[in-house]
């Protein structure tokens, strides 16, 4: 009964399982989906250096494996209404890169293989529907009636977490208006676009909406910021994406679309990261939801996972309470930082847009204006312990 239950085989649950195995604990990972499931789209692309270090601590060599596959670029550019206002090319840094970019499905593939090598026991087709905790243990019940009992459970079952709901823990925060569209596109072999991240403010090709292009292994992601009154069908369907894509990336890509999705701006943090008995620890999107700019979701989720494993291995009420306090503080920091990024990306007040316009005009003579335009979309960096997030 000293085994630990982890619920959810997303990137955070897989990391929690790996971190628990690294501490010598037996792990049973319960996942609702079947073993041969297909996970969609690129979603969280960035794995930050801090996260790579955490993963390497869980499984030595894993960071090298992921970075060998992912892409790291040295050049970042910012464009304002068709005119470049910032461009920097940094020399490669020794050791681990500041980040690596790969589709979430690939990150999960590496994590899952590492879990299998580390002896995590996977139970697929196990949708947990009920949770009960006592002072000494936790009982989980699946929809088909199977029951598991353990000293601790790590809830990594995502944004609609059944465990969080079962424990009646509220999500607190806000959701912004509007949405953005995420499109994954495969490279044209032999004619790949330059390996750089480009943020384009008020792109003239899409009616002045802002667009970001981010490479990943095998292709790139286009992120289109829609306006609050845009209709989802006008921008967010595959047919719509095929219409507007050529004016953003040129011809030849409309038929290379791999995935199109829309994404809303939620900023929510669970009222508590544990149940009253300290037997269930909430991590990842089960505990917090952030808008994607700054890459805070998956990165901070993996930091939650590492902290949860440490607390469970310590096995004391104090360690679990400490996990809950520290990771909730990190989530609140991330939520505030994401809010700052959103205020810049989706300005509510005219003055913000006017400031951006002025900075773009002054950037050729005052480089710090270009630098501000480059960095502001991602919000402030660091802050709370292993909060994750920052410019990429
Ligand atoms: C459309 C979309 C676009 C995104 N784009 C970005 C992006 O551009 N950048 C970014 O940083 N992040 C992005 N994200 C967010 C990112 O995908 C998440 O931060 C990340 O997946 C969180 O990982 P997780 O492991 O906490 O949750 P999830 O990845 O949601 O994993 C949860 C797992 O739990 C399983 N599960 C759920 N309920 C149960 C249950 N009751 N019992 C058992 N298992 C269960 C699920 O099947 C799943 O495997 C995006 C998300 C979406 C949906």
């Amino acid at each position: 009964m000293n085994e630990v239950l982890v619920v959810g085989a997303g990137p955070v649950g897989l990391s929690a399982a790996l971190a628990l195995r690294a501490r010598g604990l037996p792990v049973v990972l319960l996942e609702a989906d079947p073993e041969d499931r297909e996970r969609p789209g690129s979603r969280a692309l960035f794995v930050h250096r801090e996260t790579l270090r955490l993963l390497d601590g869980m499984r030595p060599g894993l960071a090298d494996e992921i970075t060998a596959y992912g892409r790291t670029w040295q050049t970042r550019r910012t464009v304002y209404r068709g005119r470049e206002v910032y461009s920097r090319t940094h020399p490669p840094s020794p050791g681990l890169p500041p980040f690596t970019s790969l589709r979430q499905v690939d990150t999960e593939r590496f994590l899952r293989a590492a879990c299998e090598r580390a002896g995590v026991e996977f139970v697929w087709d196990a949708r947990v529907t009920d949770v009960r905790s006592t002072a000494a243990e936790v009982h989980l019940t699946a929809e088909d009636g199977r029951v598991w009992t353990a000293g601790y459970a790590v809830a990594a079952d995502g944004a609609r977490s059944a465990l969080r709901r079962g424990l009646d823990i509220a999500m607190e925060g806000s959701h912004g208006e509007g949405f953005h569209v995420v499109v994954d596109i495969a490279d044209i072999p032999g004619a790949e676009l330059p390996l750089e991240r480009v943020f384009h403010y008020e792109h003239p090709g899409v009616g002045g909406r802002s667009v970001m292009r981010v490479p990943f292994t095998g292709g790139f992601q286009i992120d289109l910021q829609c306006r609050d009154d845009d209709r989802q069908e006008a921008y967010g369907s595959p047919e719509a994406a095929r219409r507007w894509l050529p004016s953003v990336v040129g011809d030849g890509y409309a038929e290379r679309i791999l995935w199109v999705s829309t994404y809303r701006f939620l900023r929510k943090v669970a009222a508590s990261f544990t149940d009253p008995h300290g037997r269930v620890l909430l991590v990842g999107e089960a505990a917090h939801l952030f808008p994607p700019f700054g890459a805070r979701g998956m990165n901070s989720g993996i930091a939650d996972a590492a902290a949860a494993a440490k607390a469970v291995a310590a096995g004391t009420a104090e360690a679990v309470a400490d996990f809950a306090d520290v990771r909730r503080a990190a989530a609140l920091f991330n939520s505030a930082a994401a809010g700052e990024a959103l205020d810049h990306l989706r300005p509510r007040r005219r003055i913000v847009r006017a400031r951006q316009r002025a900075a773009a005009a002054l950037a050729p003579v005052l480089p710090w204006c270009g630098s501000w335009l480059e960095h502001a979309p991602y919000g402030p960096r660091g802050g709370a312990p292993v909060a994750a997030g920052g410019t990429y």
Side-chain angles (χ1 to χ4, degrees):
M1 232 253 320
N2 72 340
E3 71 190 15
V4 183
L5 302 171
V6 175
V7 184
V12 176
L14 292 166
S15 302
L18 206 54
L20 288 159
R21 288 298 301 128
R23 291 176 181 277
L25 296 167
V27 180
V28 177
L29 202 163
L30 310 174
E31 166 56 50
D33 284 342
E35 183 170 5
D36 59 354
R37 68 173 175 178
E38 270 188 35
R39 295 270 274 168
S42 52
R43 294 184 290 155
L45 289 177
F46 288 90
V47 185
H48 287 311
R49 178 156 46 202
E50 265 180 274
T51 306
L52 289 167
R53 285 199 185 112
L54 285 176
L55 294 176
D56 219 48
M58 297 171 193
R59 188 80 187 168
L62 184 54
D64 282 345
E65 235 181 288
I66 293 175
T67 50
Y69 181 83
R71 311 207 83 178
T72 303
W73 49 90
Q74 310 307 133
T75 301
R76 301 190 308 228
R77 293 198 302 121
T78 303
V79 180
Y80 187 92
R81 294 185 182 174
R83 184 169 57 81
E84 185 174 287
V85 293
Y86 179 95
S87 175
R88 286 283 180 291
T89 300
H90 299 272
S93 48
L96 283 177
F99 66 87
T100 187
S101 175
L102 62 168
R103 301 174 95 198
Q104 186 173 317
V105 64
D106 290 316
T107 303
E108 290 179 13
R109 181 168 52 82
F110 285 112
L111 291 172
R112 182 170 158 185
C115 281
E116 283 164 357
R117 288 197 297 270
V120 173
E121 183 190 332
F122 283 82
V123 185
W124 300 95
D125 298 299
R127 179 172 297 281
V128 176
T129 50
D130 191 50
V131 53
R132 298 254 177 277
S133 67
T134 66
E137 56 193 23
V138 50
H139 310 272
L140 301 180
T141 309
E143 64 184 350
D144 59 7
R146 281 176 291 172
V147 177
W148 292 268
T149 299
Y152 293 97
V154 178
D157 51 344
R160 295 195 176 91
S161 172
L163 271 72
R164 188 189 65 233
R165 285 165 195 234
L167 294 168
D168 211 14
I169 297 175
M171 288 296 262
E172 299 171 345
S174 62
H175 59 93
E177 294 301 312
F179 60 96
H180 67 121
V181 181
V182 184
V183 188
D184 287 356
I185 300 143
D187 282 332
I188 298 176
E192 290 83 2
L193 295 174
L195 186 56
E196 57 185 17
R197 194 274 287 125
V198 185
F199 188 93
H200 196 142
Y201 286 83
E202 304 192 17
H203 196 304
V206 275
R209 290 163 185 81
S210 295
V211 183
M212 182 161 78
R213 175 165 67 80
V214 184
F216 57 72
T217 304
F220 56 93
Q221 186 186 79
I222 292 289
D223 205 306
L224 174 76
Q225 298 289 309
C226 288
R227 300 202 176 114
D228 288 358
D229 55 357
D230 280 341
R231 282 180 309 114
Q232 210 153 316
E233 322 78 79
Y235 289 92
S237 67
E239 300 72 47
R242 270 193 281 278
R243 264 195 315 274
W244 58 258
L245 205 56
S247 51
V248 172
V249 286
D251 292 330
Y253 290 102
E255 303 315 316
R256 305 190 69 80
I257 293 176
L258 302 169
W259 182 66
V260 182
S261 183
T262 54
Y263 198 64
R264 293 197 169 266
F265 302 98
L266 296 172
R267 285 203 298 132
K268 299 207 171 201
V269 176
S272 170
F273 278 31
T274 183
D275 64 307
H277 298 295
R279 292 284 155 188
V280 183
L281 291 77
L282 265 53
V283 293
E285 288 208 332
H288 47 70
L289 292 164
F290 311 127
F293 278 75
R296 296 179 171 86
M298 186 177 75
N299 284 285
S300 73
I302 292 174
D304 297 339
K310 188 175 172 200
V312 167
T316 63
E318 295 71 34
V320 174
D322 196 44
F323 151 83
D325 288 348
V326 170
R327 292 316 303 164
R328 188 160 184 277
L332 291 171
F333 172 89
N334 274 323
S335 180
E340 270 188 52
L342 270 189
D343 286 345
H344 183 85
L345 280 168
R346 307 179 69 80
R348 299 259 143 236
R349 292 168 300 139
R350 276 164 190 266
I351 181 79
V352 180
R353 245 185 235 290
R355 227 178 264 150
Q356 292 172 0
R357 200 163 46 241
L362 291 169
V365 282
L366 294 176
W368 64 264
C369 288
S371 179
W372 176 68
L373 286 168
E374 157 70 21
H375 292 99
Y378 315 102
R381 311 179 63 172
V386 203
T391 310
Y392 35 79

